[in-house]
Amino acid sequence: MAPYQPSADWQFEIPTSGSKQLPPAARYVESLTHQGYGFEAAIADLVDNSIDAGARNVVVSFLRDEERLVSLLVLDDGCGMNDEALDTAMTVGGREGYSETALGHFGAGLKAASLSHADSLTVISRTKRSPSTGRRWLTARAQADFTCDIVDPGYCQDLVDRYDGLIEWHGTIVRWDRVRAFDTVTTGQADRFLNDAIEKLETHLGLHLHRFLTCDDFNIDIVVEDVRTREELDHRGVEPIDPFGYRVSGRAGYPRTYTAPVEGVGEVALTAHIWPPKSPLVSFRGIGPLAERQGFYIYRNDRLVQAGGWNSTRSAEGHLALARIAVDLPNESNDVFSLTVKKDGVTVTPAFARGLEKATDGADHTFGAYVQEAETAYREAARRATEPQRKAVLPAGKGIDPKLRRTLRDELPELEGEDPISFRWDALPSDVFFELDREGREVRLNKEYRQVFNGGRRGGLNDAPVVKSMLYLLVNEIFQKERVRAVHTDNVALWNSVLVTAARCELAR
């Protein structure tokens, strides 16, 4: 290398005199804990890893010890990892390459997502050909010297055996301990915290992974487990929430696909939708403020990485609330679309906006015309007479099947900030079919009649959906009243008399 010679001319190339390696300081781990991961986004990042590992079943488990929340697990039946692969997975930026179809991208998600919420991250895994193995990051030790603990092999196998119904020959368990959000739960508030946290997690996973969840061979379940008895205190299957899942389009001729010529990428397909006005569906109103949910829904390898927004191509406006456009990112790397580390948004260059200006449906219909028609559909609906409004109800809680809860939320507006109505089978007098615990917001059903509704099958937490849904609709108003009037007491007695007789008739058949 020739020695540097001073010159009055501008140096277009920076002269160098050698190089040296500068590995990150251990404090770099501290920066991982401040990535701004939301709780739901962090869990979704872990589920992405499960999908990349070929998992068919993923379980998110909240471990509870009476009123105390102690740990969180994400378990899957994917291909698992041996010692070498696990070391790579636990190394910051350890993944050197991903397949074109992988959901992982930067090699930091597992660590950044986990350490943003927990002071202890443990990963235990096994493959078909290797025994159970584990590693643990403690934030305090990692910040000091990048030390990662090797988990005792006996414990690794014990934990895998504990969940042998899911992990048989291969799979992975991600365990969070010292979860900072759990420390904020005060005595008596565990139920409310869990219900709110699970509702948000259901919505986030159902939305961002909806294309995967529509497949029959992929499932995500959220459970609450008693850490001592192993009893499931709650169990909810995550249902897909399709942001384009309306029944009838809000305007004839839609959805319509446009092609945008984007410099540096090529042709980008834009599938434009117009939602029906005033839709009550969760997939329209239940995924966030409508102003934030209009615009582009951007997918990478079928994973939703941006749920609404115009990417600086225009401003959000109330009269564009019905406009949603699906965009699938190209597999090839490019300089136009850049995914955020948390996979919660995409940045674009001005080339995308220029492409939108030229986008057409192959005929003479432009993307700009679509935006105008979406606005027209909204304005026309606003001028029409107001549709009848259904009375708001208390939300449905534990004991009601998740699919049924989703339908109830689609059809009925919910009172905000209210505890849900839950259902539980209990020992009651034989002449009582159900009783109400108004203080606990609970409907207790007589377990003597449980077999009537299960057809000889073993009962589960969410069984008897027909009778539970009917009772939910009947008693909702009673739970909302500050004082129970005589007419309500008489109605409960009437319903009990009829239901007990009906159940006995069924038992006698």
Side-chain angles (χ1 to χ4, degrees), residues 67 69 178-190 193:
E67 284 297 305
L69 300 176
R178 305 176 197 171
V179 182
R180 290 184 281 278
F182 292 177
D183 294 337
T184 67
V185 182
T186 56
T187 303
Q189 294 299 309
F193 174 86

Side-chain angles (χ1 to χ4, degrees), residues 438 441 477-485 488:
R438 282 171 41 80
R441 286 267 171 92
E477 183 180 358
I478 297 176
F479 277 112
Q480 294 183 46
K481 299 292 184 182
E482 292 185 7
R483 295 177 57 189
V484 178
R485 296 165 52 196
H488 296 134

Side-chain angles (χ1 to χ4, degrees), residues 38 74 80 191 193 199 233 250 314 320 329 331 390 396 398 451 493:
V74 176
D191 284 331
F193 174 86
E199 287 281 354
L233 306 176
R314 65 176 57 250
L320 289 177
L329 293 180
N331 288 330
R390 290 173 176 169
K398 288 192 295 186
Q451 59 180 307

Side-chain angles (χ1 to χ4, degrees), residues 264-495:
V265 176
E267 294 185 344
V268 175
L270 314 165
T271 305
H273 299 253
I274 297 179
W275 263 84
K278 303 177 183 177
S279 173
L281 297 180
V282 168
S283 48
F284 182 63
R285 295 188 177 277
I287 59 176
L290 292 180
E292 297 177 10
R293 294 311 190 194
Q294 61 182 257
F296 297 111
Y297 284 70
I298 303 179
Y299 296 81
R300 176 177 173 270
N301 294 332
D302 284 334
R303 204 269 205 199
L304 184 62
V305 293
Q306 178 176 304
W310 292 103
N311 298 85
S312 301
T313 61
R314 65 176 57 250
S315 300
E317 301 175 31
H319 51 259
L320 289 177
L322 308 180
R324 292 182 181 180
I325 307 100
V327 182
D328 284 271
L329 293 180
N331 288 330
E332 301 78 15
S333 61
N334 60 82
D335 295 327
V336 177
F337 299 100
S338 299
L339 179 65
T340 62
V341 173
K342 295 176 291 182
K343 289 181 278 192
D344 61 354
V346 175
T347 59
V348 301
T349 67
F352 181 58
R354 293 194 296 269
L356 290 180
E357 294 174 357
K358 301 174 183 177
T360 68
D361 65 350
D364 57 353
H365 203 277
T366 66
F367 184 79
Y370 154 71
V371 173
Q372 293 177 354
E373 291 192 18
E375 178 180 343
T376 299
Y378 178 89
R379 294 187 184 280
E380 288 177 351
R383 288 195 294 267
R384 292 196 291 266
T386 303
E387 298 176 2
Q389 294 293 315
R390 290 173 176 169
K391 187 176 180 181
V393 298
L394 298 172
K398 288 192 295 186
I400 295 184
D401 189 278
K403 292 182 181 178
L404 179 55
R405 280 204 302 271
R406 186 74 65 195
T407 298
L408 290 168
R409 283 161 54 185
D410 279 347
E411 298 293 344
L412 296 168
E414 292 184 352
L415 294 168
E416 295 185 3
E418 292 286 350
D419 290 334
I421 298 174
S422 60
F423 287 77
R424 176 168 64 90
W425 294 97
D426 204 352
L428 301 176
S430 59
D431 61 343
V432 175
F433 188 87
F434 73 95
E435 65 180 20
L436 306 181
D437 176 4
R438 282 171 41 80
E439 184 175 345
R441 286 267 171 92
E442 188 175 62
V443 180
R444 295 174 185 158
L445 303 169
N446 194 335
K447 64 181 182 181
E448 178 182 340
Y449 303 117
R450 190 173 193 175
Q451 59 180 307
V452 170
F453 304 99
N454 290 323
R457 298 182 301 274
R458 182 176 178 273
L461 180 68
N462 300 321
D463 60 3
V466 173
V467 70
K468 287 178 179 177
S469 62
M470 293 175 63
L471 283 173
Y472 169 80
L473 295 173
L474 287 173
V475 305
N476 206 292
E477 183 180 358
I478 297 176
F479 277 112
Q480 294 183 46
K481 299 292 184 182
E482 292 185 7
R483 295 177 57 189
V484 178
R485 296 165 52 196
V487 64
H488 296 134
T489 303
D490 184 62
N491 281 340
V492 170
L494 168 64
W495 299 333

Side-chain angles (χ1 to χ4, degrees), residues 34-258:
H34 297 89
Q35 293 289 319
Y37 268 96
F39 183 79
E40 300 81 29
I43 299 295
D45 221 324
L46 302 186
V47 177
D48 287 347
N49 293 337
S50 298
I51 294 173
D52 283 346
R56 301 299 184 189
N57 298 283
V58 181
V59 175
V60 180
S61 180
F62 293 81
L63 296 181
R64 179 172 176 172
D65 184 13
E66 296 182 348
E67 284 297 305
R68 193 165 61 100
L69 300 176
V70 294
S71 299
L72 182 141
L73 305 180
V74 176
L75 311 99
D76 70 56
D77 59 357
C79 63
M81 293 174 281
N82 59 19
D83 273 299
E84 182 180 359
L86 186 52
D87 283 341
T88 300
M90 293 293 274
T91 301
V92 178
R95 288 288 296 272
E96 295 181 358
Y98 289 92
S99 69
E100 285 189 354
T101 59
L103 302 184
H105 195 55
F106 296 103
L110 170 65
K111 287 74 65 176
S114 299
L115 297 179
S116 291
H117 293 276
D119 289 330
S120 174
L121 162 66
T122 304
V123 180
I124 292 171
S125 193
R126 65 166 294 171
T127 72
K128 280 186 177 181
R129 296 180 177 82
S130 63
S132 301
T133 186
R135 301 289 184 271
R136 181 185 69 170
W137 276 108
L138 293 178
T139 303
R141 292 191 64 189
Q143 289 175 353
D145 57 8
F146 273 117
T147 298
C148 183
D149 297 321
I150 299 173
V151 181
D152 183 276
Y155 172 76
C156 293
Q157 188 58 48
D158 285 346
L159 191 60
V160 169
D161 289 343
R162 180 184 176 105
Y163 296 101
D164 62 358
L166 175 67
I167 299 175
E168 296 179 349
W169 298 106
H170 47 77
T172 298
I173 301 170
V174 177
R175 172 174 168 172
W176 290 0
D177 292 297
R178 305 176 197 171
V179 182
R180 290 184 281 278
F182 292 177
D183 294 337
T184 67
V185 182
T186 56
T187 303
Q189 294 299 309
D191 284 331
R192 169 169 280 193
F193 174 86
L194 282 171
N195 187 71
D196 290 346
I198 293 174
E199 287 281 354
K200 292 176 181 176
L201 185 57
E202 271 188 292
T203 299
H204 188 91
L205 295 177
L207 174 64
H208 289 266
L209 297 171
H210 72 91
R211 288 186 177 178
F212 294 93
L213 289 164
T214 56
C215 300
D216 293 334
D217 60 351
F218 181 73
N219 304 284
I220 302 175
D221 292 278
I222 304 173
V223 303
V224 179
E225 177 186 351
D226 187 301
V227 73
R228 298 183 187 273
T229 66
R230 303 189 185 184
E231 177 188 1
E232 282 190 357
L233 306 176
D234 197 358
H235 188 147
R236 312 186 194 186
V238 177
E239 294 294 319
I241 302 177
D242 185 352
F244 306 100
Y246 47 77
R247 300 182 181 104
V248 179
S249 177
R251 197 164 187 87
Y254 290 94
R256 189 190 300 258
T257 300
Y258 299 85

